[in-house]
């Protein structure tokens, strides 16, 4: 409704129910369907805009009302908060609590040692994670920075009171275009689009000329999509198939258009996907495994420590000493260096991957890479090259024909305006240019441009100054409609109605092979006519077809075969159609018995989808949310799932997967969602990532198995010694220092070699496996601890409190050397040193710690640690015990592996 005031026309703002503007009330996904189906004037009226654009003041008000045109990004924590979160994890909190207790009870040395352990482990974890995140930040770039909008100026003389009362639009000055940041685009803005532009928001096309849009980042379809003005048919219900809507994040390949913005920011289709990316990432199998093990050790400690405290307090009568001893035991039982050991292993893996031009954004993704037993992948841009090539040029019988390519080349070469992807693919055959001597032999006469009604275009060229050639190419049925004859070899034959079935069969076969088919026709005309029109596109000779394809990457087939050999099943999750998908799967060697479409899984429960996902390897025409649902369904079946994608539509799936992998050509949101980014085009690096991940997991498990079995054995040793000895079996400071030296020896585990048999198959967390290993291997150490107690008590007569220091020294050395050396047995399922050799750093650190432990009783630090020199006979007995301990453990380990399959 218009209002006449002071000679000017003002439009009242349109309101929906309850006083909300219409543009504001249409923010759901279904609103895009309404925008697409409305008549143009109805749409502009509801958006309170016009073809001349908004007033600057109107745009400012709408920016306040709707907010900036930005989408959600993953929420990043500040460095200080990340550091604080690391300190607030269970292990650091427990150890800092113990350090505090030790400090206030006078055990300053113990408190310092515990605090140093926590600081070293936590700071190293923080530094590695921070550096990795900084490297990943450099990969992120804005999709686009500006948009071209049409705006109007307010005419001088309009009373300011009127401006404040009414939402006004004054059509008195010519509209002008200006570049504005994409963030300032608002609903109702009129925008101009041309080749190379990114679509800044969800828009409805008002006018267009030869407009082709690349929607591959949303749909997975590599071929360009034609867009045009006018109402969308009611029969189209799929958003991405709307012919008059362009979506934020897609881009213009060719042509130009004027459009009106209908949705911005989080209300766009792109924004709905991005919001899932900004959500909190779910805990992966790796994180869950680490937490389960930590809490397993904490539960052991909660049972063990009170028992040690009470037994020593009641038997020895010194409750303060019993308390300090129990505190030291608590520290010894706590895997305080586990976060650091995990981080060192993961950082080493990340460094190894960076040398292969792979950026690891999240360190724990390295282990998940190794544990992965299912890799789901998008098709376009990951398995394929994300570019269109002219693959075939055939005659009407389906046989390769060079003349078809030559006619197509002349058509693409001489057409005016911007070339679309298909024309570029044709013109890449530069050998045709040389063969035909195009510049010398042909000259352009005229052309009949493409339009969406005819769906074809023609050029007319003069050949050798003696004849004109009209060459037409376009959609198959539309070219069929203007052809009266066909060419087969050198013969020109009439096309009769009964021939159409055979012609369509050739096209159908090409389509079934995943090709996009364009028909090519021509006719010869006499020289003399200078202008041509649609009326001249009659009685053409159909010469054949050109067929286009987005080809697979050369490395895709070998990479899939290698992953299969390493126990990783590959599944395709794509938004593209099933015909093209089947063709690509065939080309990369992926067998396809059945393809499940997105429409089929809409009504499935997650449990039903899990059963289907277990059996089917290829899913097509999936929405972004459906890709994520398939991954969640595979999680229900106990799989560790990776996802590889490069498009906007891959964001939710990348986030849902245990490890998200993005490729070199990915859009910004895919890189943000991914854990790992491949900077090289070759997919063969996937194998290296899988192997590296399994090595990392193997080395982490080595530390966990050693820590778990050692702690389990120590539980029996400490309890037994506390019950029968009249003094503490080891001084608190000795326990802490012993623990520190042992942990230092294990830092080199990250460099250790991993057996080939171990990395041949996916490895996942199994607390039951670790528990069984602990149950069988742990008590062996207690046997030799008790032998040491027997040696010190009966052989060296350490039976009184006066000789407690010598007893404690004997157990200190035996305990340190036995748990340090046993790593060489536990680190491999084979015979150590003979069938499997440790890395040099691990060998050096373990031997160094053994030498340090042996030297301490004779060093200047002996007094501070309450250590005494040991008699020579002790060392002979110790050597025999260590040799027997290592041999017995090797025998039991081999038996456990044979019986339970543990390795």
């Amino acid at each position: 409704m218009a209002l006449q005031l002071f000679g000017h026309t003002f439009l009242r703002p349109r309101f929906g129910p309850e006083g909300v503007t219409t543009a504001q009330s249409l923010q759901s996904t279904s609103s895009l369907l309404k925008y697409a189906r409305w008549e143009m004037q109805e749409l502009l009226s509801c958006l309170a805009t016009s073809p001349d654009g908004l007033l600057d003041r109107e745009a400012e008000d709408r920016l306040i009302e709707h907010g900036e045109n930005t989408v959600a990004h993953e929420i990043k924590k500040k460095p200080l908060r990340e550091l604080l979160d690391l300190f607030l994890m269970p292990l650091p909190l427990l150890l800092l609590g113990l350090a505090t207790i030790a400090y206030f009870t006078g055990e300053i040395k113990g408190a310092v040692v515990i605090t140093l352990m926590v600081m070293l482990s936590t700071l190293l974890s923080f530094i590695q994670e921070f550096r990795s995140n900084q490297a990943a930040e450099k990969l992120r770039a804005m999709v686009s920075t500006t948009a071209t909008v049409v705006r109007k100026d307010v005419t001088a003389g309009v009373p300011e009171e009127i401006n404040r009362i009414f939402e006004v639009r004054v059509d008195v000055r010519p509209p002008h275009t200006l570049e504005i940041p994409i963030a300032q685009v608002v609903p109702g803005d009129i925008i101009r689009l041309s080749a190379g532009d990114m679509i800044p928001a969800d828009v409805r096309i008002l006018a267009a000329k030869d407009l082709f849009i690349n929607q591959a980042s949303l749909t997975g379809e590599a071929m360009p999509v034609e867009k045009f003005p006018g109402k969308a048919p009611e029969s189209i219900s799929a958003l991405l198939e709307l012919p008059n809507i362009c979506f934020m994040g897609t881009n213009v390949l060719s042509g130009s258009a004027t459009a009106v913005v209908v949705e911005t920011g989080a209300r766009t289709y792109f924004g709905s996907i991005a919001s899932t990316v900004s959500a909190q990432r779910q805990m992966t199998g790796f994180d869950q495994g680490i937490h389960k093990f930590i809490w397993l050790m904490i539960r052991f400690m909660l049972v063990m420590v009170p028992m040690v405290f009470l037994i020593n307090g009641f038997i020895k009568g010194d409750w303060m000493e019993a308390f300090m001893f129990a505190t030291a035991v608590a520290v010894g039982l706590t895997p305080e260096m586990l976060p650091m050991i995990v981080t060192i292993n993961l950082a080493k893996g990340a460094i190894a991957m960076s040398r292969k031009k792979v950026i690891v954004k999240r360190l724990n993704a390295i282990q998940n890479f190794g544990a992965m037993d299912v890799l789901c992948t998008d098709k376009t841009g990951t398995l394929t090259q994300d570019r269109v090539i002219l693959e075939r040029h055939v005659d009407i019988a389906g046989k390769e024909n060079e003349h078809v390519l030559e006619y197509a080349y002349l058509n693409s070469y001489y057409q005016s305006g911007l070339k679309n992807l298909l024309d570029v693919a044709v013109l890449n055959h530069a050998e045709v240019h040389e063969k035909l001597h195009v510049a010398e032999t042909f000259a352009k006469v005229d052309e009949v441009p493409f339009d969406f009604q005819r769906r074809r275009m023609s050029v007319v060229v003069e050949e050798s100054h003696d004849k004109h050639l009209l060459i037409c190419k376009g959609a198959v049925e539309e070219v069929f409609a203007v052809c009266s004859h066909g060419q087969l070899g050198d013969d020109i034959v009439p096309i009769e109605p009964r021939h159409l079935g055979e012609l369509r069969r050739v096209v159908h076969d090409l389509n079934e092979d995943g090709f996009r088919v364009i028909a090519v026709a021509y006719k010869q005309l006499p020289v003399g006519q200078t202008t041509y029109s649609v009326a001249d596109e009659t009685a053409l000779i159909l010469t054949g077809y050109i067929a286009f394809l987005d080809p697979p990457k050369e490395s895709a087939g070998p990479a899939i075969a290698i992953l299969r050999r390493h126990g990783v099943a590959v599944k395709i999750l794509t938004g593209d159609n099933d015909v093209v998908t089947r063709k690509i799967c065939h080309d990369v060697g992926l067998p396809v018995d059945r393809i499940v479409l997105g429409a089929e899984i809409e009504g499935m429960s997650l449990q039903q989808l899990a059963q289907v996902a277990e059996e089917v390897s290829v899913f097509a025409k999936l929405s972004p949310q459906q890709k994520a649902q398939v991954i969640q369904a595979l999680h229900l079946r106990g799989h560790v799932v990776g996802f590889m994608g490069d498009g906007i539509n891959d964001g939710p799936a990348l986030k849902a997967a245990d490890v998200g992998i993005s490729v070199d050509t990915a859009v910004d949101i895919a890189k943000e969602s991914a854990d790992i980014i491949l900077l090289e085009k070759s997919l063969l690096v996937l194998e290296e990532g899988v192997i590296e991940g399994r090595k990392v997991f193997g080395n982490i498990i080595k530390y966990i198995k050693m820590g778990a079995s050692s702690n389990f054995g120590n539980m029996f040793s400490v309890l037994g010694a506390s019950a029968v000895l009249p003094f503490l079996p080891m001084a608190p400071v000795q326990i802490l220092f012993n623990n520190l030296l042992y942990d230092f020896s294990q830092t080199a585990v990250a460099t250790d070699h991993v057996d080939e048999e171990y990395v041949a198959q996916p490895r996942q967390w199994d607390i039951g496996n670790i528990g069984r290993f602990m149950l069988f291997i742990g008590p062996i150490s207690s046997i030799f601890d008790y032998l040491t107690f027997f040696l010190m008590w009966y052989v060296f007569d350490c039976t009184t409190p006066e000789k407690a220091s010598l007893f404690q020294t004997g157990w200190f050395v035996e305990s340190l050397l036995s748990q340090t050396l046993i790593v060489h047995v536990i680190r491999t399922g084979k015979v150590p040193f003979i069938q499997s050799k440790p890395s040099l750093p691990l060998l050096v650190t373990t031997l160094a710690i053994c030498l340090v432990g042996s030297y301490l009783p004779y060093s200047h630090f002996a007094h501070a640690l309450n250590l005494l020199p040991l008699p020579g006979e002790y060392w002979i007995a110790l050597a025999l015990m260590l040799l027997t301990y290592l041999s017995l453990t090797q025998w039991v380990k081999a038996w456990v592996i044979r019986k339970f399959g543990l390795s």
Side-chain angles (χ1 to χ4, degrees), residues 56-306:
D56 288 334
R57 183 183 53 76
E58 284 181 316
E60 292 172 2
D61 291 343
R62 294 189 186 197
L63 187 61
I64 295 172
E65 177 184 0
H66 295 280
E68 288 194 342
N69 181 33
T70 57
V71 297
H73 284 262
E74 187 173 359
I75 300 171
K76 299 297 179 186
K77 295 180 181 179
K78 294 181 179 180
L80 188 60
R81 177 57 187 270
E82 289 183 352
L83 181 61
L84 181 62
D85 285 348
L86 289 174
F87 275 109
L88 293 178
M89 293 176 70
L91 283 182
L93 284 178
L94 175 63
L95 290 169
L96 288 175
L98 294 174
T100 303
I101 293 172
Y103 177 82
F104 284 108
T105 53
E107 281 291 329
I108 308 298
K109 289 186 289 186
V112 170
V113 171
I114 298 171
T115 304
L116 283 175
M117 289 179 177
V118 175
M119 296 296 292
L120 181 63
S121 174
T122 305
L123 286 176
L124 183 57
S125 297
F126 169 74
I127 290 170
Q128 291 294 343
E129 193 74 28
F130 182 77
R131 286 178 176 174
S132 181
N133 287 336
Q134 288 295 102
E137 286 292 336
K138 295 178 182 178
L139 295 172
R140 300 192 176 100
M142 288 295 293
V143 173
S144 183
T145 54
T146 62
T148 303
V149 300
V150 179
R151 292 282 171 84
K152 299 176 300 186
D153 295 322
V154 178
T155 300
V158 177
E160 187 61 33
E161 293 79 8
I162 300 299
N163 288 340
R164 286 197 298 267
I165 295 172
F166 296 94
E167 295 290 331
V168 299
R169 188 173 74 250
V170 186
D171 299 327
V172 292
R173 288 187 179 178
H176 61 281
T177 61
L178 71 156
E179 295 285 327
I180 65 170
I182 279 183
Q184 295 180 15
V185 171
V186 296
D189 258 329
I190 304 298
I191 65 170
R192 306 278 196 220
L193 298 172
S194 58
D197 287 347
M198 297 296 293
I199 307 299
D202 287 352
V203 302
R204 160 82 182 268
I205 301 299
L206 302 179
K209 181 179 180 181
D210 301 340
L211 182 65
F212 286 84
I213 302 294
N214 179 8
Q215 293 188 164
S217 60
L218 290 177
T219 66
E221 169 60 71
M223 295 295 179
V225 179
E226 304 168 357
K227 298 288 184 177
F228 49 87
K231 287 176 55 178
E234 293 284 339
S235 59
I236 298 179
S237 59
L239 289 182
L240 295 175
E241 295 178 6
L242 292 171
N244 57 358
I245 298 290
C246 296
F247 299 92
M248 183 183 197
T250 61
N251 64 287
V252 180
L253 288 176
S254 64
S256 59
T258 300
V260 60
V261 174
V262 295
E263 296 285 17
T264 59
R267 295 175 297 277
T268 63
Y269 186 81
F270 175 94
S272 67
I273 298 173
S275 63
T276 65
V277 174
S278 63
Q280 185 68 33
R281 181 176 290 267
Q282 295 296 313
M283 185 177 289
T284 66
F286 175 78
D287 301 317
Q288 293 172 356
I290 288 289
H291 279 265
K292 286 179 180 177
F293 174 72
I294 288 174
W295 282 107
L296 176 66
M297 290 297 97
I298 289 176
R299 284 194 292 272
F300 264 117
M301 185 197 71
L302 292 177
V303 172
M304 173 76 171
V305 171

Side-chain angles (χ1 to χ4, degrees), residues 481-498:
V482 294
C483 290
S484 61
H485 291 73
Q487 182 170 4
L488 195 58
D490 295 330
D491 298 328
I492 306 298
V493 297
I495 297 177
E496 299 177 6
R498 60 189 176 88

Side-chain angles (χ1 to χ4, degrees), residues 440-730:
E440 296 83 8
T441 309
F442 298 92
K444 182 177 179 179
V445 178
D446 199 5
E447 75 174 282
V448 184
F450 179 91
D451 64 60
F452 288 100
Q453 285 71 41
R454 292 164 40 250
R455 293 169 58 83
R456 60 181 183 264
M457 68 85 54
S458 300
V459 299
V460 182
V461 296
E462 185 178 86
E463 182 180 4
S464 302
H465 305 291
D466 62 357
K467 63 180 177 182
H468 285 183
L469 276 176
L470 185 150
I471 305 170
C472 175
K473 79 176 192 301
V476 172
E477 291 297 330
E478 282 72 9
V479 173
F480 280 178
V482 294
C483 290
S484 61
H485 291 73
Q487 182 170 4
L488 195 58
D490 295 330
D491 298 328
I492 306 298
V493 297
I495 297 177
E496 299 177 6
R498 60 189 176 88
H499 295 147
L500 289 177
E502 184 63 24
L503 294 174
R504 291 191 176 105
R505 184 190 63 78
V506 174
V507 175
H508 178 268
D509 289 344
L510 289 170
N511 287 331
E512 283 294 302
D513 283 338
F515 291 105
R516 176 168 179 174
V517 181
I518 300 294
V520 181
Y522 75 99
K523 75 175 178 180
Q524 294 184 4
L525 298 164
V527 176
Q529 186 175 345
T530 57
T531 59
Y532 292 82
S533 67
V534 175
D536 294 297
E537 293 180 331
T538 58
L540 303 186
I541 300 170
L542 179 65
T543 185
Y545 315 102
I546 49 177
F548 300 87
L549 186 69
D550 178 16
K553 292 180 177 178
E554 292 181 2
S555 59
I560 289 174
I562 290 170
L563 288 174
R564 193 181 295 121
R565 287 200 299 270
H566 286 293
V568 180
V570 177
K571 297 181 183 290
I572 307 298
L573 311 183
T574 180
D576 206 348
N577 67 69
D578 53 324
V579 174
V580 174
T581 302
R582 187 182 296 274
K583 165 67 174 173
I584 294 299
C585 290
H586 176 269
D587 289 347
V588 299
L590 192 65
V592 181
D593 296 324
R594 176 189 174 192
I595 295 181
V596 175
L597 303 181
E600 296 180 54
I601 69 174
E602 282 183 355
M604 294 183 185
S605 67
L606 202 58
Q607 287 74 19
Q608 291 172 324
L609 180 57
Q611 179 63 38
V612 171
E614 189 77 25
E615 300 169 354
V616 177
S617 296
V618 183
F619 295 80
K621 295 192 76 67
L622 297 182
S623 70
Q625 287 73 23
Q626 286 173 333
K627 290 183 179 183
Q629 288 170 8
V630 172
I631 291 172
Q632 292 165 2
L634 288 168
H635 283 153
L636 282 183
R637 307 285 291 197
H639 294 291
V640 176
V641 185
F643 182 82
M644 183 169 64
D646 71 332
I648 296 168
N649 59 336
D650 296 321
L654 286 165
K655 193 81 173 183
D658 294 285
V659 53
I661 308 161
S662 182
V663 294
D664 56 307
T665 55
V667 298
D668 182 73
I669 193 171
K671 289 180 180 178
E672 181 164 320
S673 308
D675 303 300
I676 292 173
I677 299 173
L678 312 181
L679 300 183
E680 289 285 355
K681 292 184 180 295
S682 174
L683 299 181
L684 294 175
V685 74
L686 287 172
E687 178 199 13
E688 297 169 350
V690 166
I691 297 302
E692 196 63 44
R694 292 175 186 176
K695 288 180 180 178
V696 167
F697 179 76
N699 284 333
I700 291 172
I701 286 296
K702 290 174 189 177
Y703 174 81
I704 288 176
K705 284 182 175 179
M706 288 181 289
S709 57
S710 176
N711 287 349
F712 189 66
N714 287 339
M715 179 175 69
F716 293 107
S717 302
V718 171
L719 284 175
S722 298
V724 300
L725 295 177
F727 48 79
L728 296 178
M730 196 182 300

Side-chain angles (χ1 to χ4, degrees), residues 172-433:
V172 292
R173 288 187 179 178
H176 61 281
T177 61
L178 71 156
E179 295 285 327
I180 65 170
I182 279 183
Q184 295 180 15
V185 171
V186 296
D189 258 329
I190 304 298
I191 65 170
R192 306 278 196 220
L193 298 172
S194 58
D197 287 347
M198 297 296 293
I199 307 299
D202 287 352
V203 302
R204 160 82 182 268
I205 301 299
L206 302 179
K209 181 179 180 181
D210 301 340
L211 182 65
F212 286 84
I213 302 294
N214 179 8
Q215 293 188 164
S217 60
L218 290 177
T219 66
E221 169 60 71
M223 295 295 179
V225 179
E226 304 168 357
K227 298 288 184 177
F228 49 87
K231 287 176 55 178
E234 293 284 339
S235 59
I236 298 179
S237 59
L239 289 182
L240 295 175
E241 295 178 6
L242 292 171
N244 57 358
I245 298 290
C246 296
F247 299 92
M248 183 183 197
T250 61
N251 64 287
V252 180
L253 288 176
S254 64
S256 59
T258 300
V260 60
V261 174
V262 295
E263 296 285 17
T264 59
R267 295 175 297 277
T268 63
Y269 186 81
F270 175 94
S272 67
I273 298 173
S275 63
T276 65
V277 174
S278 63
Q280 185 68 33
R281 181 176 290 267
Q282 295 296 313
M283 185 177 289
T284 66
F286 175 78
D287 301 317
Q288 293 172 356
I290 288 289
H291 279 265
K292 286 179 180 177
F293 174 72
I294 288 174
W295 282 107
L296 176 66
M297 290 297 97
I298 289 176
R299 284 194 292 272
F300 264 117
M301 185 197 71
L302 292 177
V303 172
M304 173 76 171
V305 171
M307 292 177 62
V308 169
F309 171 66
L310 293 173
I311 290 173
N312 281 282
F314 281 115
I315 292 178
K316 300 170 182 62
D318 190 335
W319 288 97
M320 178 55 68
E321 185 182 57
F323 176 79
M324 293 311 305
F325 181 69
T327 301
V329 169
V331 174
L333 290 176
T334 305
E336 71 281 346
M337 297 301 281
L338 179 60
M340 187 181 78
I341 295 295
V342 168
T343 302
I344 290 174
N345 274 278
L346 295 175
K348 174 183 173 290
I351 292 170
M353 294 304 293
S354 70
R355 296 193 186 104
K356 300 175 178 68
K357 295 189 177 181
V358 176
I359 296 295
V360 179
K361 287 176 55 185
R362 296 177 180 86
L363 287 180
N364 63 9
I366 290 285
Q367 187 279 331
N368 291 328
F369 215 166
M372 175 180 72
D373 61 341
V374 175
L375 174 63
C376 297
T377 176
D378 182 35
K379 177 185 68 65
T380 305
T382 49
L383 295 182
T384 68
Q385 299 176 23
D386 197 17
R387 67 184 182 92
V388 177
I389 67 168
L390 175 56
E391 183 80 6
R392 300 192 64 189
H393 37 86
V394 301
D395 62 19
I396 60 175
K399 297 179 180 179
E400 294 293 322
N401 188 293
E402 289 297 320
H403 292 301
V404 177
L405 175 59
E406 292 167 3
Y407 283 124
Y409 186 91
L410 290 171
N411 179 286
S412 296
Y413 182 79
Y414 280 112
Q415 75 170 82
S416 60
L418 293 164
K419 314 293 185 186
N420 62 36
L421 282 179
L422 305 183
D423 290 312
V424 171
V426 172
L427 294 175
N428 281 336
H429 287 264
E431 74 279 1
V432 176
H433 194 95

